[in-house]
């Protein structure tokens, strides 16, 4: 039996995209396989680890829990677009300076999720930062350096 295919039109990192996709294809697989945007990673594929984090219409979502077909008409932003725009340059810099990444597998999702928190304004406490990032798993860093980096950026943005 051939897979059902649907036509979708959406914006990805500011570019208009029109594609035919398998109805069952996840958003993260679509971004990686069809558009070559491999900054969003695939870990658990069950909505647990946060490796696949992207933004849809400004909201942080799990790319493995959404279908590409659900994004017809949506505005999708991946780590590539958000990094290229300079929006998270300070976070990227802080992660690098404070050794908040090792293998880097979790890093795109961490950065997007941290930015979501910081966009709320103010300087969140360390417990709030931890809680906000708790849906993003990191098997390398022990999280301390990640919290340090996010806290430092929050302080700098509010100085
Ligand atoms: S791959 Fe989507 S949450 Fe783990
Ligand atoms: S840096 Fe390796 S999983 Fe986070």
């Amino acid at each position: 039996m051939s897979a059902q295919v649907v036509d979708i039109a959406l914006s990805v990192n500011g570019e208009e995209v029109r594609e035919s996709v398998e109805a069952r294809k996840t958003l993260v697989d679509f971004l990686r396989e069809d558009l070559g945007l491999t900054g969003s990673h695939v870990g658990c594929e069950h909505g647990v680890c946060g490796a696949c984090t992207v933004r849809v219409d400004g909201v942080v979502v799990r790319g493995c829990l959404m279908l590409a077909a659900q994004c017809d008409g949506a505005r999708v932003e991946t780590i590539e677009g958000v990094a290229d725009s300079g929006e998270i340059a300070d976070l990227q810099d802080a992660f690098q300076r404070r050794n908040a990444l090792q293998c880097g597998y979790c890093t795109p999702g961490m950065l997007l999720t941290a930015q979501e928190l910081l966009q709320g304004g103010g300087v969140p406490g360390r417990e709030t930062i931890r809680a906000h990032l708790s849906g993003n798993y990191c098997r390398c860093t022990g999280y301390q350096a990640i919290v340090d980096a996010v806290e430092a950026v929050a302080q700098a943005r509010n100085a």
Side-chain angles (χ1 to χ4, degrees), residues 99-107 110 136-143 146:
N99 293 321
L101 67 151
Q102 289 177 29
C103 80
Y105 206 82
C106 69
T107 311
M110 284 289 183
N136 291 72
Y137 289 5
C138 177
R139 61 192 168 179
C140 306
T141 65
Y143 300 101
I146 293 173

Side-chain angles (χ1 to χ4, degrees), residues 43-45 47-50 52 62 64:
C44 65
E45 297 184 80
V48 177
C49 74
C52 61
R62 307 285 207 212
C64 71

Side-chain angles (χ1 to χ4, degrees), residues 17-18 25 34 45 47 59 66-67 69 71 116 122 129 136 138 146 156 158:
V17 172
R18 286 178 183 277
K25 189 164 220 171
D34 296 32
E45 297 184 80
V59 177
M66 273 193 96
L67 297 173
C71 295
E116 177 188 45
I129 296 171
N136 291 72
C138 177
I146 293 173
N158 287 277

Side-chain angles (χ1 to χ4, degrees), residues 41-54 60-65 105-114 116-117 126-139 143 146-147:
H41 294 150
V42 179
C44 65
E45 297 184 80
H46 286 96
V48 177
C49 74
C52 61
T53 300
V54 294
V60 164
V61 302
R62 307 285 207 212
C64 71
L65 292 186
Y105 206 82
C106 69
T107 311
M110 284 289 183
L111 289 167
L112 286 172
T113 306
E116 177 188 45
L117 173 65
R126 293 181 70 85
E127 281 315 306
T128 302
I129 296 171
R130 277 188 184 278
H132 196 83
L133 297 177
S134 62
N136 291 72
Y137 289 5
C138 177
R139 61 192 168 179
Y143 300 101
I146 293 173
V147 176

